[in-house]
Amino acid sequence: MSSSVAWLMLVIAGALDVGWAVSMKYAEGYTRVGWSIASLVLLAAFVFMLGRVLKVLEVGVAYSVWTGIGAAGTFLMGVVLFGEALSAMKLAGIALVLMGIVALKLA
């Protein structure tokens, strides 16, 4: 796998992480079967993809980028889907996370 494909897979794994977090919220403590199954499938998918990515990219960079994408995306979905509070300080924090992701990619 090329580095470019690994980075693409890493971004997809980060998006799957966001889907997993959202599905856990909808699963309501794993009491709703459909959402619970979706959550476990998304979990398996992103773990598999991250494992493949680690064959090519450095673990520290890959894990940091993956968690950053997951954190920023989950924050955004919390605001959009669940009406979670949005503030200037939270936006600044997410901006710093995103800048860190870009810095790791460029390093």
Side-chain angles (χ1 to χ4, degrees):
M1 170 187 332
S2 71
S3 178
S4 297
V5 171
W7 276 98
L8 176 62
M9 284 182 67
L10 184 58
V11 170
I12 293 168
L16 291 171
D17 183 29
V18 174
W20 171 65
V22 170
S23 69
M24 281 197 307
K25 176 76 170 173
Y26 283 127
E28 296 178 4
Y30 289 100
T31 60
R32 297 178 67 194
V33 175
W35 283 108
S36 297
I37 292 169
S39 175
L40 295 173
V41 168
L42 289 164
L43 172 65
F46 81 66
V47 168
F48 174 79
M49 290 186 83
L50 184 60
R52 299 288 303 207
V53 165
L54 292 177
K55 290 179 141 188
V56 177
L57 301 179
E58 297 172 336
V59 67
V61 171
Y63 186 78
S64 298
V65 169
W66 169 72
T67 57
I69 291 169
T74 302
F75 170 78
L76 178 63
M77 290 295 98
V79 170
V80 171
L81 297 175
F82 306 114
E84 294 176 1
L86 183 62
S87 69
M89 186 63 87
K90 288 180 180 180
L91 286 174
I94 291 300
L96 289 171
V97 169
L98 296 174
M99 286 189 284
I101 291 170
V102 171
L104 287 169
K105 170 64 174 130
L106 296 174

